[in-house]
Amino acid sequence: MTESQDPEGRGPDDMTDAEWLDTPDRSDGRVYVMPDDLRFAVRVALATGRPLLLRGMPGSGKSSLAPYIATQMKWRYYEHVVTYRTQPRDLLWSFDSVRRLADAQVTVRRGQTPDDASYVEPGVLWWALAPHSARRRGRPAGAGITDPCPDPFEEVNTTRKPDRAVVLIDEIDKADPDVPNSLLVPLGSHRFTVAEIGREIRTERPEAAESEPFEEEGQGHRARHLVVLTTNEERELPQALLRRCVVHVLPEHDRAMLVSIAEEHMALWPGEVTDADRDLADAVAGELMKVRQHADKQGVRRPSTAEYLDALLACRSLGIRPGDREWQLLTKNVLIKPQQMAGDRA
């Protein structure tokens, strides 16, 4: 199955309009408008082997970059969305100690010892760096495996290059400072030790030499793994992490960039793209500039590029045009979103 097919093997052009709308947040990496400065930052990250930290307003495209790069380069792809409950080692591995304890009570009666590796669940960084080891749950090569761990993104990664991977660690700022600090060594040395089985996990050697698009430009060899971190600046990140990252700030998109992004997305939307659709994209982008000024006066968050695309899709689907009465309603529904209702403010 290719990246652009659904589980039944159909491509995007075979899906009905209703099926296409079942996934409004598309993460298949098929669309991204990459400015030259962002493309350069990606090249620097690959040249240095350092993580790429993306900063910028919510909805500016930070989370969409990693799947796009993975799709374009045919690299394996993994992602982990960080929450306030994320633990320091969740990105590396987890261990089901409760199940292990329950099984131990049974196996001890039989005079057996539980295989601790059976309770290990590799995290996204383990899968990216050492996929063969992850499938064995850390057991040595050649060991008999009765419970191989499935690749969490197997449907996407089956047809991609086995020795190269892109990892998205989304919203790293939501985590406790212990989380980014715990990643300093694994991100810097590409190795870590799984405590429960006492095995060190390292980057696996490539199966075969491969030529990459970046290498063909005469710029030398590049890293085989790209880790992309995103932050919405909810918490200040540790300086030790910042020192180890290539940092790029995604700017707020202007009218011309909004239209360029819209044209790329409309090519994948249901129906044929017409000149009227392009004019509509420009008109909605123009109105968005006014809405941003209005948001500043109200002291609320400015609408993002993602919300611009939602407004454009609604206008196209419902026949709404800027200036219509329904446009004013759409603005309140999609573009201007106060953090709290007026009556809820202290």
Side-chain angles (χ1 to χ4, degrees):
M1 188 178 78
T2 64
E3 299 90 310
S4 58
Q5 291 177 328
D6 72 358
E8 297 179 2
R10 296 172 301 170
D13 295 336
D14 299 321
M15 298 183 190
T16 66
D17 292 359
E19 288 175 324
W20 187 90
L21 290 171
D22 284 342
T23 53
D25 285 331
R26 306 191 66 82
S27 59
D28 51 20
R30 297 177 60 215
V31 180
Y32 200 93
V33 179
M34 190 184 300
D36 290 341
D37 56 347
L38 177 55
R39 187 179 298 276
F40 180 76
V42 172
R43 291 175 59 195
V44 171
L46 288 171
T48 59
R50 294 295 188 180
L52 174 63
L53 174 63
L54 296 178
R55 314 180 96 147
M57 299 292 291
S60 59
K62 300 186 298 294
S63 304
S64 303
L65 177 65
Y68 174 78
I69 293 173
T71 298
Q72 294 300 306
M73 301 180 71
K74 304 298 182 185
W75 288 17
R76 289 179 296 120
Y77 175 71
Y78 301 95
E79 67 180 27
H80 185 105
V81 180
V82 175
T83 70
Y84 298 110
R85 300 179 64 182
T86 298
Q87 297 299 307
R89 72 180 190 183
D90 287 351
L91 294 159
L92 303 172
W93 83 92
S94 59
F95 186 81
D96 193 342
S97 56
V98 174
R99 185 165 64 91
R100 200 273 184 197
L101 178 61
D103 290 350
Q105 295 173 351
V106 176
T107 56
V108 167
R109 297 192 195 105
R110 299 173 180 172
Q112 300 173 339
T113 302
D115 178 8
D116 287 339
S118 297
Y119 309 96
V120 172
E121 191 73 23
V124 293
L125 287 176
W126 187 345
W127 276 107
L129 300 175
H132 298 298
S133 170
R135 194 169 292 276
R136 299 192 304 268
R137 301 180 188 270
R139 298 182 181 97
I145 309 298
T146 59
D147 58 344
C149 187
D151 185 330
F153 289 81
E154 192 158 13
E155 288 187 354
V156 170
N157 293 334
T158 298
T159 60
R160 298 191 178 184
K161 297 173 182 177
D163 298 325
R164 300 174 186 264
V166 177
V167 180
L168 170 64
I169 302 176
D170 206 14
E171 301 185 357
I172 187 68
D173 53 308
K174 278 188 168 63
D176 185 88
D178 286 345
V179 173
N181 283 329
S182 71
L183 296 177
L184 297 180
V185 173
L187 290 177
S189 64
H190 288 183
R191 66 177 64 182
F192 59 92
T193 299
V194 180
E196 289 82 359
I197 59 176
R199 292 194 63 85
E200 184 181 65
I201 308 302
R202 300 187 179 192
T203 303
E204 291 172 346
R205 297 178 63 86
E207 295 180 357
E210 296 175 336
S211 176
E212 289 297 316
F214 290 97
E215 297 168 9
E216 293 171 1
E217 297 177 8
Q219 301 295 326
H221 293 285
R222 295 296 183 263
R224 293 187 291 119
H225 308 97
L226 174 65
V227 177
V228 179
L229 311 173
T230 73
T231 174
N232 287 326
E233 313 295 343
E234 289 191 14
R235 291 182 179 176
E236 184 176 348
L237 296 176
Q239 286 296 318
L241 177 66
L242 295 178
R243 288 197 301 269
R244 290 167 171 82
C245 290
V246 174
V247 180
H248 183 80
V249 179
L250 293 179
E252 188 175 59
H253 296 131
D254 60 18
R255 181 171 181 171
M257 179 57 84
L258 288 172
V259 174
S260 296
I261 293 171
E263 289 177 346
E264 294 293 327
H265 280 266
M266 285 192 298
L268 298 181
W269 289 355
E272 182 181 356
V273 180
T274 65
D275 289 340
D277 291 328
R278 299 183 184 91
D279 292 340
L280 178 62
D282 182 66
V284 174
E287 288 298 316
L288 187 74
M289 301 298 107
K290 300 176 184 178
V291 173
R292 284 178 178 172
Q293 296 177 358
H294 185 59
D296 291 341
K297 293 178 182 179
Q298 285 191 326
V300 299
R301 179 181 58 80
R302 287 182 161 205
S304 67
T305 300
E307 289 160 318
Y308 159 73
L309 292 172
D310 285 342
L312 176 59
L313 180 57
C315 286
R316 184 174 183 259
S317 301
L318 302 176
I320 301 172
R321 295 295 179 268
D324 294 350
R325 176 181 175 277
E326 289 183 324
W327 169 257
Q328 301 303 321
L329 298 175
L330 181 63
T331 297
K332 295 177 181 179
N333 294 151
V334 177
L335 300 179
I336 296 292
K337 301 175 182 176
Q339 187 68 26
Q340 295 176 302
M341 298 299 292
D344 294 337
R345 293 174 184 164

